Amino acid sequence: MLLTELAEKIGGTIVVDNPSANITAAYTSDLLSDVMGHCGEESALITIQNHLNAIAVATLVGNEAIVLCHSRPVPDDMKAAATREGIALVTTPLSQFAASVALQELNPSQK
Amino acid sequence: MNDYQPTILPADAGQKDDDIMAAHSLTGTKESPLVILEMLQRLRVRDVMKADGVVSVVRSDTLHFAQNLMKRNSISGVPVLEEGRLFGIVSVNIIIKALEGGYIQDPCHKHMSTSLVFLEEGMPLALAIKYFQNYTFGRFPVLDKDRKFVGIVSQRDIMRAILKELAEELARYEGKKPAAATVPFGEVSTSAYTMQQYPVVHNDLQNAGRAANEIKRLLAGAGVDKKIVRRIAVAAYELEINIAIHSVGGTLTFILDGQKVTIIARDRGPGIADIEWALRDGTSTANDWVRSMGFGAGMGLANSKRVSDKFEIKSVVPSGTTVLCEFNLKKD
């Protein structure tokens, strides 16, 4: 799934773009240790963690994009880190659950 | 909360020598030695502030009274305090204006600064120093979490505390041999050998993950299998976060030796009393702040162990914990 398509499905705003993103799965969690333990590559991470550590974890697990729920503001340092690491950032007014439902086709277990 | 809710300090409370200190102050903490960085995170405003014998005035005192008080005590500002509640500050500039304007007999509350910047007693010193850099004031009032006045902190107080801590640190180093920086490992392969050591600072979640990311890049650059790289990076990151959250600080060491990668996390205390408990998934002693950042759910050690081919942990209370994770790069 392309980033534009993902953003459209969740009524999101692309804060940091990554036109080459190829998103094949998604994982929803606010617990970064859990993300490291279970999130697959080429995933979109659906979370409310709007800080640098989310970028650090996304980089480690190979996320393509981070979806920040409840329109959480994106701090400048997070934006800069995402740009540097090539990770797309999308904000959405939806909750984690609603965003997950809207992106259900990215559920890895349904493939 | 009240009609005197402090917001912004007036630009007149500075003192000349404090300004000179500000110009040479602890800017560029990034270049500072690790020991200072740790100290600035460990020390809190309450550890360095002046709490006892703070001179103050009440709202009905005259500016003249405040002037005498400042002269007697050689200070450039007094807080206006009543029963622990901070109403304002009378600075030397306010006194000068009062003398010029001929209203030195007016009560303090008519002319005191009521919009204030204050520090909270639990703030790390590193943050307090930023305040001194961002504002030109010589001192800040310190309030507790209920907004009650508990003391005053000046740049001089901070300098004094840092010098005292440094002297103690020095004495510690002189009293015993410095901790060995070498790491225990066996044979050195000639094919590919890299060792990197990264300092990890207590409570510095901002920078945690740098070591893990660098290790990841290094391994990816060396052509190591992506899945193995991820396992190593996860262990490095978890251990890095653990040092930052739970210990007083330490190091993360990375060794690439032929077909083997070793990650060693070593901290300087306080040690883990019950390792078995700590290793269990879901057990944690982390505080709410750490949890709000998405850590501290008690998965760190368990995660590190799960991704490693070999895992060892040793801990001594109170001197510290060492965790070793080993990874075989060649899967058979």
Side-chain angles (χ1 to χ4, degrees):
Chain A
M1 186 186 288
L2 292 172
L3 192 67
T4 45
E5 203 182 329
L6 174 140
E8 196 185 321
K9 282 181 191 294
I10 55 175
T13 310
I14 297 174
V15 179
V16 174
D17 201 2
N18 178 7
S20 63
N22 173 28
I23 302 154
T24 61
Y27 193 76
T28 307
S29 182
D30 296 324
L31 186 54
L32 296 177
S33 280
D34 173 56
V35 175
M36 275 190 280
H38 300 109
C39 179
E41 285 183 3
E42 297 185 340
S43 293
L45 171 62
I46 300 168
T47 187
I48 56 162
Q49 296 290 2
N50 55 341
H51 53 80
L52 275 182
N53 297 99
I55 303 290
V57 168
T59 309
L60 287 185
V61 302
N63 282 150
E64 298 276 315
I66 295 178
V67 173
L68 285 176
C69 297
H70 297 299
S71 298
R72 299 260 278 191
V74 185
D76 287 342
D77 57 357
M78 186 187 192
K79 223 181 281 181
T83 308
R84 195 174 59 239
E85 300 293 345
I87 291 171
L89 272 182
V90 182
T91 61
T92 172
L94 301 181
S95 70
Q96 296 95 306
F97 178 76
S100 306
V101 171
L103 295 171
Q104 60 170 316
E105 68 184 86
L106 292 174
N107 184 354
S109 65
Q110 290 186 347
K111 286 179 191 167
Chain B
M1 192 185 82
N2 59 48
D3 46 336
Y4 288 103
Q5 180 70 24
T7 46
I8 290 289
L9 220 102
D12 63 2
Q15 193 188 11
K16 199 157 193 308
D17 55 350
D18 286 338
D19 292 344
I20 293 165
M21 280 174 69
H24 296 276
S25 72
L26 298 145
T27 45
T29 42
K30 270 177 203 149
E31 287 84 32
S32 307
L34 180 66
V35 63
I36 299 208
L37 270 182
E38 284 180 359
M39 195 180 290
L40 297 181
Q41 290 292 341
R42 186 179 74 240
L43 286 175
R44 304 284 149 156
V45 169
R46 75 167 73 84
D47 301 326
V48 306
M49 69 183 185
K50 186 174 163 59
D52 302 321
V54 173
V55 293
S56 65
V57 295
V58 296
R59 282 175 292 175
S60 58
D61 283 335
T62 62
L63 290 170
H64 181 67
F65 179 79
Q67 180 199 356
N68 278 335
L69 210 56
M70 285 153 73
K71 202 157 84 187
R72 261 205 314 277
N73 293 284
S74 310
I75 50 174
S76 60
V78 280
V80 182
L81 274 182
E82 279 170 44
E83 288 169 6
R85 180 170 159 188
L86 180 67
F87 286 93
I89 279 191
V90 177
S91 69
V92 78
N93 279 20
I94 289 174
I95 298 292
I96 290 170
K97 278 181 205 148
L99 287 168
E100 283 172 350
Y103 53 83
I104 193 73
Q105 296 300 340
D106 275 5
C108 288
H109 71 83
K110 277 184 81 172
H111 304 285
M112 65 189 182
S113 313
T114 52
S115 47
L116 306 168
V117 173
F118 60 90
L119 304 181
E120 278 184 15
E121 59 169 353
M123 269 183 184
L125 217 48
L127 198 57
I129 289 170
K130 284 220 175 93
Y131 271 75
F132 278 108
Q133 286 169 357
N134 292 344
Y135 300 94
T136 55
F137 315 121
R139 61 192 46 70
F140 287 101
V142 182
L143 307 185
D144 67 11
K145 59 181 190 326
D146 301 320
R147 294 288 184 267
K148 201 166 164 274
F149 178 88
V150 288
I152 274 202
V153 67
S154 69
Q155 299 209 36
R156 206 170 294 158
D157 296 328
I158 291 180
M159 284 302 284
R160 197 183 297 124
I162 289 174
L163 288 174
K164 185 168 158 271
E165 283 286 314
L166 273 177
E168 282 170 12
E169 193 78 17
L170 204 62
R172 259 201 296 281
Y173 274 97
E174 282 172 347
K176 65 168 193 202
K177 278 186 184 170
T182 49
V183 285
F185 63 88
E187 69 293 334
V188 177
S189 152
T190 47
S191 56
Y193 181 80
T194 309
M195 184 181 131
Q196 294 282 346
Q197 195 168 57
Y198 307 90
V200 185
V201 177
H202 174 59
N203 265 346
D204 186 12
L205 286 187
Q206 198 85 339
N207 286 309
R210 291 225 169 138
N213 257 321
E214 204 178 310
I215 290 168
K216 187 184 176 186
R217 280 201 191 102
L218 229 144
L219 289 169
V224 176
D225 179 78
K226 259 176 112 180
K227 278 190 177 135
I228 299 177
V229 172
R230 175 176 159 158
R231 282 168 43 215
I232 296 169
V234 164
Y237 190 66
E238 292 284 16
L239 295 176
E240 207 180 339
I241 290 280
N242 267 355
I243 296 176
I245 292 175
H246 298 293
S247 83
V248 298
T251 53
L252 193 81
T253 305
F254 161 80
I255 302 164
L256 167 62
D257 181 9
Q259 292 300 318
K260 196 172 81 183
V261 163
T262 312
I263 304 274
I264 299 165
R266 179 178 289 164
D267 67 55
R268 295 187 293 279
I272 304 168
D274 187 345
I275 288 181
E276 221 171 286
W277 181 84
L279 277 173
R280 215 171 297 152
D281 220 347
T283 51
S284 179
T285 55
N287 63 27
D288 288 347
W289 173 70
V290 165
R291 288 171 197 267
S292 75
M293 298 289 281
F295 300 108
M299 299 172 70
L301 281 178
N303 259 357
S304 313
K305 190 177 177 182
R306 188 173 45 79
V307 296
S308 306
D309 292 319
K310 185 180 158 196
F311 179 90
E312 277 175 26
I313 179 166
K314 284 194 185 94
S315 190
V316 179
V317 178
S319 46
T321 305
T322 303
V323 181
L324 181 146
C325 295
E326 243 177 50
F327 303 85
N328 302 321
L329 299 187
K330 215 171 215 169
K331 282 280 158 193
D332 40 11

